[in-house]
Amino acid sequence: EAQVTQNPRYLITVTGKKLTVTCSQNMNHEYMSWYRQDPGLGLRQIYYSMNVEVTDKGDVPEGYKVSRKEKRNFPLILESPSPNQTSLYFCASTSTSGRAVEQFFGPGTRLTVL
Amino acid sequence: GEDVEQSLFLSVREGDSSVINCTYTDSSSTYLYWYKQEPGAGLQLLTYIFSNMDMKQDQRLTVLLNKKDKHLSLRIADTQTGDSAIYFCAEKLGSGAGSYQLTFGKGTKLSVIP
């Protein structure tokens, strides 16, 4: 089954404690993204990756890092989380084989930073 | 600039039709999408329309595109309680290699009253 998995699904942490949210896809997609979803603000892209070792900033990259060492995985790293990073995070993997571009989303990670 | 606007809430009675509206600003949009987010889940692609089309129908879903007014709508016929969700409009810009980014609206929360 084609899917995007994220872990953990829920996380409560404290300010300054480094954390990583993992994302994995089994569709051999080259393009992957991270979004955060906040009430009234919709989805905002944090980082994206066009392929292995190729990453770039999205609309709200401050306070986040990513890496893309292999095609299937695209972890999101918060080196020093702060309360304003409390949010719902989605990883997405994008099919680029056709012109339409379909994004497949993970189930989300709800992060609370105290 | 890139901007996608949607109303935030819509409430309908079960069995009625729902119409969710979206406006976008970038005339170079090539594809426009509707995603559905059920409570506690990630976004799922419902349907999409190419910018040279006026209408697309898929079972209970009808997408109308008015390119002159940059207006997109999603009509759900015979709305059911299972249709209660947040619906996101999104646009894809350009058609060249690397143009895989989607710009999302803030989402319309559809509530279906039994």
Side-chain angles (χ1 to χ4, degrees), chain A residues 9 31 35 37 40-43 45 48 50 59 88 90 94 96 99-108, chain B residues 8 31 33 35 37 40-45 48 50 86 88 92 97-102 104-107:
Chain A
R9 293 289 313 278
Y31 189 97
Y35 293 88
Q37 183 180 16
L41 297 176
L43 282 169
Q45 192 181 54
Y48 64 94
M50 298 279 289
D59 299 318
L88 180 58
F90 289 102
T94 301
T96 59
R99 294 183 303 162
V101 173
E102 180 175 352
Q103 287 201 351
F104 296 83
F105 284 81
Chain B
L8 294 181
Y31 285 90
Y33 303 78
Y35 278 82
Q37 183 184 28
L43 280 70
Q44 283 188 301
L45 180 65
Y48 63 87
F50 186 44
I86 301 175
F88 289 90
K92 172 184 175 293
S99 59
Y100 306 131
Q101 185 173 352
L102 300 185
F104 288 86
K106 290 181 171 54

Side-chain angles (χ1 to χ4, degrees), chain A residues 23-78:
Chain A
C23 172
S24 182
Q25 51 97 1
N26 63 0
M27 295 167 279
N28 201 37
H29 291 161
E30 293 177 348
Y31 189 97
M32 296 181 73
S33 320
W34 274 103
Y35 293 88
R36 60 178 288 173
Q37 183 180 16
D38 301 289
L41 297 176
L43 282 169
R44 295 179 291 169
Q45 192 181 54
I46 303 170
Y47 267 94
Y48 64 94
S49 170
M50 298 279 289
N51 211 330
V52 175
E53 302 292 1
V54 181
T55 63
D56 208 346
K57 296 177 181 178
D59 299 318
V60 288
E62 293 78 21
Y64 304 95
K65 285 174 57 177
V66 292
S67 72
R68 189 88 182 276
K69 293 185 170 50
E70 50 192 338
K71 189 182 270 192
R72 64 183 291 123
N73 296 323
F74 188 43
L76 178 70
I77 303 151
L78 284 71

